[in-house]
Amino acid sequence: MKKWICKGYKLFKEHRKRLNDTIKYVKQTNNVFRIVIVFDIFYSFMMYGCTISEYKIFDFYNVSLDKRNTYLTKLRKNSLFSSNIKKSKGKFTRKKIYSLFKEYLNREVKELKNISFKEFELLALDKKILMFSDNNNKNKICVMNLSDFRSPAFMLDKAKKSGYEYVEEFKRPNKVFNKINKDGLSIVSIVTLNTYNSIEIVSSSLKLQFKDNLIETILDKGITKYPFLDSSDNIYKELNNNELINIEVPKYQELVDLAKKLASEINDIKEIEWLFTLTDNKIELLGAGIWNNYLFAQKQIYLNGRDGIYSYYKTKRF
C-alpha cells in the first residue's frame, strides 16, 4: 500500500510540474488567467486525447477548435497503429534491417563483439573518424574522432559504455552536407505509409548531428524551408556560418523512391521511418523503425497554418 501511495505521489508531482511549466509557457504570450489554461488543457485531453506535454508542443492554446481536431496525439496514434506497434516489436533491430537490406547499406559495418581489439585499433588508426550505432535504437548513432581520445582503447571503452554495438568508417558526407556539417552526421528521415493501394510519404526531415547536439527540421518537398530546432526548441537558421534555410537535399527523389521500395518489402508494418545518409555517390541506409517524431512534425513552426497529420490519416485506408 505504501509503495502505491509513493508511486502515486511521484506521478502527481511529475504532472504538477508539467502542468506548471505548460501554464508558464502559455502565459508568456497570452494575458490569461491560470484557471482558463487549466480548463483548456482538461478540455483538450477529453476531446482530442491531448496530454499536457502535447498541449505545449502543439501550442494548443493558440490553435482554433476546428484545427485541434486535425492533430495526431499519442492516444490517436496508438488507436490507429496498435497492431502496427505490436508487430514491430523486435523487427527493426539494426541486425535484422542490415541483414534484410544488406544491398542498400553500401558500406562495411562491423559488430563490435565480433572484432578483436587489434582489429578495432587498426581501423581507428587508419580511418581516424568512426561511426557507432546501437542495435535496438535506430536513432542512437554517434560519430567519434580519434583525436578526442588518448588512444583507440579509450574510444572503444567510451563506445561500449555508451551501449553502441556496431562500428564503421565515417565517410566524407555529400558535398552539400559537408559544407554545413563537415564533422557531423547528416541524416535524412523518410516516413512511409503502406495504404490500401499505394505507398505514400507522410513526412520527411533532415537531422544534423554534431558534437553532443542534434538539430532537426521538417522538409518541404526536400527543401529546408523552416528553421532547425534542438531538444530545447532553440532555433537554428545557420550552422558554421552557413545558412540552413532553403537547402535542397541532394538525391531527394531517389531517397523517396528507395524508401517506398524498401517499405513494399515489409507489408505487415504499415508505417515506417527510414533513416539515410549520403556520400557524393551513394545513398546509405542507416536504420528503420516505428515513427515516433510525429509530435515534432506538428509544431506550429512546421505546420505553418496547415492541418495536423491526423486529418491526413483520416483520408487513407490502411
Side-chain angles (χ1 to χ4, degrees):
M1 184 69 176
K2 184 179 179 181
K3 185 178 178 181
W4 281 104
I5 292 173
C6 290
K7 186 177 180 180
Y9 180 66
K10 184 179 178 181
L11 189 63
F12 167 74
K13 286 204 302 183
E14 288 177 1
H15 281 298
R16 186 177 65 178
K17 184 180 184 306
R18 204 172 289 129
L19 178 63
N20 288 334
D21 288 345
T22 300
I23 291 170
K24 185 179 178 181
Y25 173 78
V26 172
K27 286 177 73 66
Q28 286 177 351
T29 54
N30 297 275
N31 184 20
V32 61
F33 289 114
R34 177 187 177 93
I35 188 63
V36 175
I37 303 171
V38 172
F39 177 78
D40 194 47
I41 291 173
F42 178 72
Y43 175 83
S44 298
F45 177 75
M46 296 301 294
M47 293 298 295
Y48 319 112
C50 179
T51 65
I52 297 171
S53 297
E54 291 170 340
Y55 186 93
K56 182 180 178 181
I57 291 169
F58 297 154
D59 197 12
F60 243 27
Y61 189 80
N62 296 310
V63 178
S64 68
L65 296 182
D66 288 342
K67 284 279 187 187
R68 290 183 185 191
N69 200 33
T70 69
Y71 280 70
L72 182 69
T73 61
K74 184 177 181 180
L75 199 65
R76 286 174 165 180
K77 172 86 170 181
N78 290 341
S79 176
L80 286 171
F81 294 103
S82 58
S83 62
N84 200 62
I85 294 168
K86 289 176 183 177
K87 289 177 182 177
S88 70
K89 289 183 178 179
K91 192 159 190 170
F92 288 109
T93 63
R94 269 199 171 76
K95 189 163 191 170
K96 289 185 177 179
I97 290 297
Y98 285 178
S99 175
L100 184 60
F101 299 117
K102 190 175 181 179
E103 63 184 293
Y104 303 105
L105 298 183
N106 288 317
R107 66 199 190 278
E108 185 179 12
V109 182
K110 300 174 186 265
E111 260 191 283
L112 284 174
K113 69 178 183 180
N114 293 335
I115 61 174
S116 66
F117 171 71
K118 190 63 180 177
E119 288 177 292
F120 177 84
E121 183 180 42
L122 290 173
L123 178 66
L125 290 172
D126 179 36
K127 304 304 181 183
K128 310 298 182 189
I129 304 176
L130 301 178
M131 185 163 74
F132 298 87
S133 54
D134 175 77
N135 185 46
N136 296 307
N137 184 348
K138 70 179 185 300
N139 295 306
K140 191 175 179 181
I141 308 171
C142 176
V143 174
M144 295 188 195
N145 194 320
L146 184 58
S147 64
D148 295 328
F149 298 88
R150 288 167 58 186
S151 70
F154 284 90
M155 178 189 265
L156 180 59
D157 185 61
K158 172 70 180 295
K160 286 185 174 179
K161 285 182 177 177
S162 300
Y164 294 110
E165 297 167 70
Y166 289 89
V167 63
E168 60 190 270
E169 172 192 356
F170 177 65
K171 296 179 182 177
R172 188 174 70 85
N174 177 280
K175 60 185 177 183
V176 173
F177 295 154
N178 188 59
K179 182 180 178 182
I180 60 174
N181 191 26
K182 184 177 181 180
D183 299 320
L185 180 63
S186 302
I187 302 170
V188 182
S189 161
I190 307 284
V191 182
T192 56
L193 180 68
N194 200 333
T195 66
Y196 182 70
N197 55 10
S198 67
I199 294 175
E200 300 188 10
I201 303 302
V202 180
S203 180
S204 61
S205 68
L206 176 60
K207 308 178 186 188
L208 302 178
Q209 184 186 96
F210 52 94
K211 295 181 180 177
D212 293 323
N213 205 356
L214 175 70
I215 61 175
E216 182 176 6
T217 188
I218 299 300
L219 296 171
D220 186 338
K221 298 178 181 177
I223 300 173
T224 60
K225 291 188 177 180
Y226 313 107
F228 285 73
L229 298 177
D230 63 17
S231 59
S232 299
D233 282 345
N234 295 309
I235 293 175
Y236 292 76
K237 293 184 178 181
E238 65 173 43
L239 184 64
N240 300 324
N241 296 318
N242 291 296
E243 287 289 328
L244 293 177
I245 306 298
N246 290 323
I247 295 172
E248 189 171 344
V249 172
K251 305 179 187 290
Y252 181 73
Q253 190 55 50
E254 290 181 47
L255 287 163
V256 167
D257 293 341
L258 179 55
K260 287 182 177 181
K261 184 178 187 305
L262 299 179
S264 69
E265 298 184 33
I266 306 181
N267 292 318
D268 56 332
I269 308 296
K270 299 303 179 182
E271 185 185 69
I272 304 172
E273 179 184 23
W274 304 92
L275 302 179
F276 304 98
T277 191
L278 299 167
T279 65
D280 279 335
N281 302 315
K282 297 177 180 178
I283 294 173
E284 298 181 352
L285 175 64
L286 293 177
I290 293 297
W291 186 40
N292 295 317
N293 219 18
Y294 53 93
L295 300 181
F296 180 85
Q298 295 176 103
K299 283 178 173 286
Q300 292 298 309
I301 195 172
Y302 298 127
L303 287 181
N304 198 26
R306 297 188 297 270
D307 287 348
I309 297 172
Y310 186 58
S311 61
Y312 165 79
Y313 287 119
K314 288 197 295 184
T315 66
K316 304 298 174 184
R317 292 179 61 193
F318 53 88

